[in-house]
């Protein structure tokens, strides 16, 4: 099953390199929103709380604009049934999850680098908390986005439905990552963020386990 | 080829309140072929999708036994080759790349020699490295045959087998059917007389529906 899952991932990865369905949308979104944030802040002194919040706003909406493509593009191209004829639902789910993980990790790395470069007030004092938050947050985003993308791929109004459906599901994750990022900016000790990390790990584990069980029903008729 | 036994018992499919078909019963073994026919909207494609495990019936049971071991629906794809107008290949990849991805997603080792044979057979070998988006609809249909035969399936399901094909393409497809028939299970969903004559048994969904309606009237 691991080999089949990686095969689905490589198929999506190669497809993305050729079509640039998600990458273009994501990069353009990141550059646009960061520019808007930069212009709106101007020379003002903004508190770390607000900067942490804005970072995750950029990440959330970037994820919303790109991660749904994994299933939506299959539906739009009519290849969903082809995939159904090739592998068990779990193979497709984990292949897509892996692809979304790689995509969100890459885009988050880009967002953070640009954010650190263009917003001088954004200074990370405890990098271990910040990196762990980024990794666990990306994991949570990918695990939630993958199953929501599978659900909305069959709907008519995919574009609007995706962020609307994602928001309540991602709210606990977003609140936790914002708190953890604030701790990293305040220079808190790693141990102080353990509670946040527990929540983030539990969130991803519960979502992936639920998605694994439910995906059969979503994937079939 | 493994021994297969496919059995459909009392199959019914509804879409909302509309009954597409009801009480479909038949069974098939290696070396048998069946053609499912009926007017547009009679449920031919729906029935073959149910057989392939792509759709669930509203009522009834589909059983697939391979070497006398009953398979789960999730395993049907390992034994079924499926060609249909609604099956699509990945346009951004070449025919060769498509087959490579399909083999690996199936968990098979990609046999480039066998893929070459298949592409030669469906007359796509010379265009094997071109992106599928540059293919005509007939070429795409022929590629679907290579896709369906890649894992050497015991059951071959062909929905509208001649769709988009020219004379040469039809001859190729008929050769594939003739080769598969003696040992495998062949299921066709078609209205074409020539296709119907290739199969041992014909299931006419319209006739079944009419018979059911007459029975209902007699009961009333």
């Amino acid at each position: 099953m691991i080999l089949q899952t990686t095969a689905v991932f490589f198929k999506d990865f190669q497809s993305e390199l050729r079509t640039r369905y998600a990458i273009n949308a994501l990069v353009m979104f990141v550059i646009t929103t960061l520019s808007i944030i930069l212009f709106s802040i101007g020379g003002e002194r903004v508190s770390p709380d607000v900067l942490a919040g804005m970072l995750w706003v950029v990440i959330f909406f970037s994820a919303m604009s790109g991660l749904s493509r994994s299933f939506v593009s299959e539906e739009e191209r009519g290849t969903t049934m082809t995939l159904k004829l090739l592998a068990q639902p779990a193979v497709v789910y984990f292949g897509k999850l892996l692809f979304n993980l790689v995509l969100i990790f890459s885009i988050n790395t880009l967002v953070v680098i640009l954010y650190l470069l263009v917003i001088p007030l954004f200074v990370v004092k405890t990098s271990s908390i910040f990196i762990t938050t980024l990794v666990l947050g990306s994991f949570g985003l990918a695990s939630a986005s993958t199953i929501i993308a599978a659900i909305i791929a069959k709907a008519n109004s995919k574009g609007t439905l995706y962020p609307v459906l994602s928001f309540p599901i991602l709210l606990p994750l977003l609140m936790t990552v914002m708190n953890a990022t604030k701790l990293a900016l305040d220079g808190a000790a790693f141990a102080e963020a353990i509670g946040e990390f527990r929540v983030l790990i539990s969130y991803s584990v519960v979502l992936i386990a639920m998605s694994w069980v439910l995906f059969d029903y979503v994937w079939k008729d | 080829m493994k021994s297969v036994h496919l059995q459909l018992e009392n199959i019914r499919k509804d879409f909302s309140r509309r009954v597409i078909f009801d009480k479909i019963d038949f069974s098939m073994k290696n070396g048998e072929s069946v053609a499912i026919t009926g007017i547009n909207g009679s449920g031919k494609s729906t029935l073959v999708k149910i057989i392939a495990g792509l759709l669930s019936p509203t009522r009834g049971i589909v059983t697939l036994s391979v070497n006398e071991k009953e398979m789960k629906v999730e395993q049907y794809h390992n034994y079924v080759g499926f060609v249909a107008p609604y099956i699509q290949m990945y346009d951004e990849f070449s025919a060769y790349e498509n087959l490579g991805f399909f083999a690996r997603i199936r968990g098979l080792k990609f046999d480039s020699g066998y893929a070459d044979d298949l592409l030669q057979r469906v007359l796509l070998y010379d265009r094997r490295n071109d992106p599928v988006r540059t293919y005509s609809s007939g070429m795409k249909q022929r590629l679907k045959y290579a896709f369906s035969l890649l894992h050497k399936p015991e059951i071959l399901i062909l929905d509208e087998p001649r769709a988009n094909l020219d004379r040469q393409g039809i001859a190729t497809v008929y050769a594939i059917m003739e080769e598969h028939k003696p040992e495998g299970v062949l299921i066709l969903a078609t209205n074409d007389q020539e296709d119907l004559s290739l199969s041992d048994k014909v299931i006419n969904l319209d006739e079944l529906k009419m018979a059911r309606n007459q029975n209902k009237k007699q009961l009333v």
Side-chain angles (χ1 to χ4, degrees), chain A residues 96-116:
Chain A
K96 299 282 183 189
L97 175 66
L98 192 59
F99 174 72
N100 276 350
L101 273 171
V102 171
L103 196 63
I104 197 73
F105 273 119
S106 319
I107 212 70
N108 284 359
T109 309
L110 174 74
V111 170
V112 169
I113 291 170
L114 289 175
Y115 210 77
L116 287 167

Side-chain angles (χ1 to χ4, degrees), chain B residues 30-33 176-186 197-200:
Chain B
N30 298 62
E32 291 181 351
S33 57
I176 289 170
M177 287 190 218
E178 290 291 356
E179 194 177 294
H180 187 82
K181 255 176 77 174
E183 287 185 47
V185 167
L186 181 68
S197 64
L198 270 173
S199 46
D200 310 328

Side-chain angles (χ1 to χ4, degrees), chain B residues 11-26:
Chain B
I11 299 294
R12 174 187 170 120
K13 184 68 183 174
D14 301 347
F15 283 127
S16 301
R17 284 184 179 181
R18 200 162 73 89
V19 181
I20 306 298
F21 46 73
D22 192 11
K23 291 178 183 161
I24 305 277
D25 293 280
F26 69 90

Side-chain angles (χ1 to χ4, degrees), chain A residues 4 7-8 10-11 14-15 18-19 74 77-79 81-89 220-221, chain B residues 13 49 53-56 73-74 77 82 86-90 92-93 97 101-102 104-107 147:
Chain A
Q4 288 175 273
V8 172
F10 277 115
K11 190 270 295 168
Q14 290 276 349
S15 175
R18 296 223 179 142
T19 60
E74 300 280 0
R77 289 183 293 178
T79 47
M81 208 163 273
T82 313
L83 267 184
K84 285 179 184 173
L85 282 165
L86 289 170
Q88 292 186 15
K220 286 212 152 189
D221 47 303
Chain B
K13 184 68 183 174
K49 281 182 196 169
L54 295 169
L55 267 182
S56 311
V73 181
E74 296 83 51
H77 66 271
F82 199 101
Y86 40 83
I87 302 289
Q88 302 297 335
M89 305 290 105
Y90 290 93
E92 65 274 28
F93 299 127
E97 287 171 324
F101 284 125
F102 295 151
R104 283 184 278 271
I105 294 173
R106 280 193 181 281
F147 156 73

Side-chain angles (χ1 to χ4, degrees), chain B residues 77-176:
Chain B
H77 66 271
N78 292 322
Y79 308 97
V80 172
F82 199 101
V83 177
Y86 40 83
I87 302 289
Q88 302 297 335
M89 305 290 105
Y90 290 93
D91 270 2
E92 65 274 28
F93 299 127
S94 67
Y96 203 73
E97 287 171 324
N98 263 291
L99 294 183
F101 284 125
F102 295 151
R104 283 184 278 271
I105 294 173
R106 280 193 181 281
L108 304 170
K109 196 169 175 283
F110 181 54
D111 181 349
S112 56
Y114 182 58
D116 284 346
D117 287 348
L118 283 176
L119 290 169
Q120 260 163 354
R121 203 143 177 225
V122 297
L123 315 168
L124 287 174
Y125 186 74
D126 294 338
R127 297 282 307 271
R128 68 190 183 283
N129 292 320
D130 294 348
V132 171
R133 66 169 170 270
T134 64
Y135 288 10
S136 68
S137 48
M139 289 164 79
K140 285 180 184 170
Q141 176 75 355
R142 278 186 268 142
L143 179 59
K144 289 176 197 174
Y145 279 89
F147 156 73
S148 72
L149 296 170
L150 188 66
H151 56 299
K152 300 172 184 165
E154 281 73 16
I155 301 171
L156 192 57
I157 300 176
L158 310 177
D159 189 355
E160 306 290 353
R162 299 155 65 112
N164 298 317
L165 292 175
D166 57 14
R167 203 176 292 171
Q168 200 182 14
I170 292 169
T172 306
V173 166
Y174 276 21
I176 289 170

